[in-house]
Amino acid sequence: MNRNAGRQLIGTGGRHHPGIGGRLAPESAGSHHDGMHFFAIDGHTDDGLLVINHEYVEPRLMHISASGLKLCAEDAYLIDGGRPADDVLKEMNAHGVSVVRIRREAGGRWVAVADPRNRRVTALTPMELAGPVRGSDFVKTKYSPDGTCVRGTLGNCASSATPWNTYLAAEENWALYFRNDDSKEGKPDQPREHSQYRVPRGKTRYHWELADNGDDAFVRFDASRKTQSPAEDYRNEPNAFGWMVEIDPSRPGAVPVKRTALGRFAHEGVVFAPATEGKPLVCYSGDDAMFQFIYKFVSAQPYDNASAGGHLLDDGTLYVARFNDDGSGDWLALAAGQNGLTSENGFGSQAEVLVNTRAAAKHVGATRMDRPESGAIEPTTGAVYFSLTSNVKRKPDEVDKANPRAENYFGHIVRWTEEGADHAATSFRWDLFVIGGDQASGRDLTGRPLDDNNLFACPDGLWFDANGRLWIQTDIGDCALNKGRFEPFGNNAMLCADPMTGEIRRFLTGPLGQEITGVTTTPDGRTMFVNVQHPGAHTSADEFAQGRLGSHWPAGGSAVPRSATLVITREDGGIV
Ligand code: FEO
Ligand code: CA
Ligand code: CA
């Protein structure tokens, strides 16, 4: 499977130096790179817009004032009970999505090129809401009293290109950015729109709501009730997050749009079935949390190449998967009025179903999965693959055939084929493609134990290349890496699988502390881009306080570790 060579880095995130006045350092993209796609310009294979998600930040690596403090990777620290507004602004600017034009020079080196399309979409960028939730009471806020818009996108994990060449970024761990401290008669009193997604009480991920200038763009992360009216506070702000966000990389002035018909959850990513003229458009998405679900959206309007656009994602049916133990499966519609989703049961409108997608999926009896991550679709057969990264909380009496292990530390990959090879079908047949683990517990498609060349744990990113090879990226948590039961796996890695034979081989292993995230190639397949996220995140609070960072990748020496994009080519210039 390819001797790869000629590794290069582009698009590093984080800092060389801390930046000025809330701005990122000039040589930085955003932080914590994840999903990514290469959009060729005018059909050129070596000139395009690389679009990259930035999932989150590590404040300790962004601000000089963190030096000497005992901080873990995601800790934000208060100064005089608040956070300097400039620090908050900088962290918000490091979230979101980057559009960067890159070009391959004659010598083979890729460089960033100045272009009017280069831009950053951040946690502050104004966006529209579209689909059934737009204008509903659930999303009316002080910023948008008519419930039509919101500032920013958060937790952008995986992504996909649409058939009409725009980009969809998933909002995954957005709930942590908010708090809601409301109580009633001494007990916590959050609406289910917050509680079912685990919006915290008392604190937020980075304390942005405590910015010392009290700016409206920052205080909105406290979603506790402050006034008599939803149009005067931010009790509904969390409801404007948890969606798929469409961005048009070719039109820098285009306002990003949150497509609410695709459901609200911890969207890991999205993957489109091949678009067929005259047939509905279909895409799949997983909710990355323990015991959550796998979804698909089927457009109401048929796909028409000439007129295709984001409107196809605003009207259609959202389904959730039930995996039966006999190898069959059913898609259950999450449509107001169907499958018990009625006002008597708390689902009075399609907006209410969608804002409460998790509750609706549970109500219709979908299968509770082991943290659904990315999906990928085999180009020749149309089989859909989804990684289930782990679920340590599954008890022995909760296992089923699709989630067969109690205390599932190592994860597995499920796949299915739709009835009649029609992605819009409402039933399917499924099996398990691989069970992650070491020699003792990992098994490939044929039942062979995994071995030194392919053992892996916690599959996360999945992607099929044009030649039908399945690429698997792993995400063992940075605190667990290289310790205890995870010792045999080493650092997070990227593997390549043959979907026909089940053969799997390791392709690359990343540096210390990181996870391997997005992957895309140029149209000719000769250049592959792969993201390395959060190198050094395993550095403990004590080590950080002592200035002993667990990684200096990629710059080496004493540099601060940074997320970065690998450029991978073959020595012979062939297809990777
Ligand atoms: Fe952001 Fe579920 O990985
Ligand atoms: Ca992921
Ligand atoms: Ca992950």
Side-chain angles (χ1 to χ4, degrees), residues 337-354:
Q338 295 182 36
N339 294 326
L341 299 174
T342 59
S343 345
E344 302 80 67
N345 291 327
F347 300 97
S349 65
Q350 190 59 20
E352 188 157 27
V353 169
L354 291 168

Side-chain angles (χ1 to χ4, degrees), residues 34 157 268 373 460 515:
D34 208 297
C157 194
E268 170 68 20
E373 296 257 22
D460 184 340
E515 72 173 281

Side-chain angles (χ1 to χ4, degrees), residues 323-338:
F323 293 81
N324 304 314
D325 276 355
D326 65 0
S328 67
D330 301 293
W331 290 108
L332 310 169
L334 300 181
Q338 295 182 36

